[in-house]
Each structure stands twice: as structure tokens, then as C-alpha cells.
Amino acid sequence: MDVVIATWNGAATIERAVQSALSDDHVSQVIVIDDGSTDGTYAVVEAIKDRIGARIVLQRLGQNKGPSVARNRGLELSSAPWVAVLDADDYFCPGRIKALLDASEGADFVADDQIQVKQGQDPDLFGDALIGHDTVMTLDFAIFVANNISRGGRLRKEFGFLKPIMRRSFLDTNQLRYPEQLRLGEDFALYARALGAGAVFRVIPARTYVSVIRADSLSGKHSKHDLECLRDSARSLQTLPTLSKLDKRLARKHFESIDARVQWLNVIDAVKARSLAAFLAPFFLRWTTSVYLMRCLLEQLMIRSKRSLGLS
């Protein structure tokens, strides 16, 4: 069992992440890919490697290429039958890998629930579950995609945030890797394509992965181009040959939810450019997008009204 950690400027948290994986006897190697960091990340991991030895594999990319490229490089360096991904901000609780391996019979992906906590908070006091279930779940394409369609009040609650252990033979047989054009939503894209290829994806109720939510994370702060790439990847899901009519309908709904966010950015650009035609065009794409854009406009009007009244 190997653990891959892709990190960019993670000097403040990388040691905690690495040590949490190394502390598990079921982990053979921790493979750290420094994705062109400009801080002391590489030096921190190098110091751990000097102490620990062969259980640490460390490689630095010459420039920042994004989490998908870095993770794929880590997969290339691993030959273990099972592999897990750990974000450099996050960490494992004791016993995590054993619990997942114990539930792996007949499965290709096995995840646990997560404890989500804001940066600097104690997960025992403030942690919130990602899913909050108390039984073993088996995800299919429809369930997975339906639980990745953004809704109000469900910030960072999508199933795409799960961090499963993955059976290498399934990944290799189906030629699955992280889509390297994505810097956002790369987990979702990989899992969705795996489920489309027939993966058995099991989720156990244990909560032994701590996900630290940071306001400046890539998933919380991204460019319009990042969102457009995710939108285009979501569109391509609809062409998978194994999907049922329900699967395709949900895949389209997921695509439209992401495209609506892209169109909101187009509206903002149109306002800055003072282009009425460009402002109106997104409202005529589809009714769901129009409703989303009207809601965004209303929220902005309320924010501006409160500011003008000195209420915020």
C-alpha cells in the first residue's frame, strides 16, 4: 500500500501529512511529489527522508503543473497493489488504512467518511462529517454524480471530495489516471470515469481522514479557465458508452451546474466591459442557468444594499 502526496507550497502542513501516513504499518511507501514549490516544502520532506529512509520517495517537478500531473507522477513511481492519495493540508487518523483494506474484498475503490474542519480548528471539537452516514454504501455512477451537483448550503459536501484507496490493477486495466488538464475537480473526474468503467466503489462509515478546509485552497479559489476545463470535462462524461439514460441525464445536469458558474463569470466580465449583448447572452442559454444568474444578481444587490446602509 502506497500513499501519494502532491504538494505545492505546503511547507506549513506537509510534515503532519507525511507523518500521519508513515505512522500506519500498512503503508509501504509515502511518495511525495513537490509540484514546483517556491517555499521550503522540499527541504522539509528531504529532512524527513534523511531520518526515515526508503519509506519516503521524494521527487520535485521543475515547475508547477497542477495536482493531476503531480499525482500521476506519483502513480508512476508506485507499484503497490493499492494506492491512496493524501492532500498535503490533510492527514490520516490512526488505523485508517487497515479499516479500508479490511473492507476491500471485491471492491476497486474503498473510501471512508471525512472529518471536515476549518484551518486551525480542533477536529474533535469542531469537525463536521462529509457524508454523515452510519452504514456501508456502494456508489454507482448515478448516486455519485447526483451527490456532486452543487446546491445551496452544501459547500464542499460533494462525494468527489472522498479520498479512497484505489486498486492499481483496475486503474491500469482501464487506463485511468487523473486528467492532466484539470486543476479543479480532478478527483471527481477520475472517480466518475472509474464508475463508468464498472468500478465497485465502497464507502465505509468510519471517519479517519481529516480534511482541512482553507479559504485559499485550489478548490476554494480558482480561475475562470480552471472552471471552464472542469465544465468541458463534465460535458465529456455524457459520451461514456456504458451510461444509462438516468446516468446521462444526471451527467448533463452536473455539466449545466458547472456551466452556470462559468456563465456568472461571463456576466461579471460583461459588466466590466460594459457590453449589454455579452451581459444578456448567458441568460438565454437555458432556464436553469437563467435562474442561477438571477439568484446571483439578487445576492449581489443585497450585499451592495447592506454596504450602502452601513450594515456590513
Side-chain angles (χ1 to χ4, degrees):
M1 174 78 207
D2 287 346
V3 175
V4 173
I5 304 176
T7 179
W8 176 68
N9 289 349
T13 60
I14 188 64
E15 183 166 7
R16 179 182 64 187
V18 170
Q19 295 290 6
S20 75
L22 286 173
S23 67
D24 196 310
D25 293 338
H26 292 80
V27 174
S28 301
Q29 292 185 127
V30 176
I31 301 170
V32 181
I33 308 298
D34 182 350
D35 188 18
S37 295
T38 56
D39 65 356
T41 298
Y42 189 87
V44 171
V45 182
E46 193 173 38
I48 302 172
K49 180 175 173 60
D50 289 342
R51 296 196 309 267
I52 300 298
R55 287 185 73 203
I56 294 281
V57 176
L58 174 61
Q59 187 171 108
R60 177 162 47 190
L61 302 182
Q63 62 185 51
N64 179 258
K65 293 183 177 294
S68 292
V69 174
R71 288 175 178 178
N72 286 344
R73 182 58 183 148
L75 290 173
E76 289 174 13
L77 297 174
S78 170
S79 58
W82 288 93
V83 63
V85 164
L86 171 61
D87 286 349
D89 313 82
D90 304 340
Y91 56 96
F92 294 163
C93 295
R96 178 177 193 256
I97 300 301
K98 182 180 187 302
L100 295 175
L101 289 173
D102 286 348
S104 66
E105 182 67 31
D108 304 298
F109 289 65
V110 187
D112 53 358
D113 202 350
Q114 291 180 8
I115 303 171
Q116 293 186 314
V117 62
K118 292 181 180 179
Q119 188 176 13
Q121 291 186 331
D122 183 341
D124 292 331
L125 299 177
F126 299 101
D128 185 25
L130 173 67
I131 300 176
H133 67 300
D134 55 8
T135 59
V136 175
M137 301 171 59
T138 300
L139 306 182
D140 59 18
F141 184 91
I143 293 172
F144 178 71
V145 173
N147 282 280
N148 278 275
I149 298 171
S150 296
R151 301 181 181 90
R154 286 205 39 210
L155 180 64
R156 297 204 67 169
K157 292 295 182 182
E158 289 84 4
F159 283 17
F161 287 112
L162 291 169
K163 290 293 188 291
I165 61 172
M166 300 177 284
R167 191 183 295 275
R168 167 170 290 281
S169 60
F170 185 89
L171 294 176
D172 291 347
T173 298
N174 292 280
Q175 299 181 320
L176 288 169
R177 291 294 186 269
Y178 290 96
E180 296 193 351
Q181 76 277 17
L182 296 184
R183 287 177 175 261
L184 174 70
E186 66 281 352
D187 294 302
F188 168 82
L190 175 64
Y191 306 159
R193 283 164 174 75
L195 287 163
V200 177
F201 196 133
R202 189 170 295 148
V203 185
I204 63 175
R207 298 172 190 168
T208 52
Y209 185 104
V210 179
S211 174
V212 180
I213 299 175
R214 294 170 44 215
D216 61 346
S217 67
L218 283 177
S219 56
K221 184 179 181 180
H222 49 262
S223 70
K224 180 180 175 181
H225 176 70
D226 294 334
L227 199 56
E228 287 172 334
C229 288
L230 179 60
R231 184 266 315 273
D232 294 344
S233 174
R235 179 193 284 122
S236 70
L237 281 180
Q238 301 173 60
T239 66
L240 294 178
T242 57
L243 301 189
S244 66
K245 289 183 178 180
L246 173 61
D247 293 338
K248 289 181 179 179
R249 185 163 66 249
L250 288 168
R252 178 165 183 78
K253 188 175 180 180
H254 178 257
F255 155 74
E256 290 179 356
S257 72
I258 300 172
D259 185 57
R261 292 158 61 191
V262 173
Q263 298 309 323
W264 173 240
L265 297 181
N266 287 337
V267 166
I268 293 173
D269 289 344
V271 171
K272 292 177 180 177
R274 301 191 177 189
S275 171
L276 179 61
F279 176 86
L280 292 174
F283 288 87
F284 292 94
L285 284 174
R286 61 188 73 89
W287 74 269
T288 52
T289 300
S290 183
V291 169
Y292 176 83
L293 296 177
M294 290 297 294
R295 186 168 69 244
C296 289
L297 284 174
L298 182 59
E299 289 173 357
Q300 288 301 308
L301 286 172
M302 291 177 65
I303 291 171
R304 289 174 181 269
S305 296
K306 287 181 180 179
R307 286 177 180 170
S308 66
L309 296 171
L311 300 176
S312 63

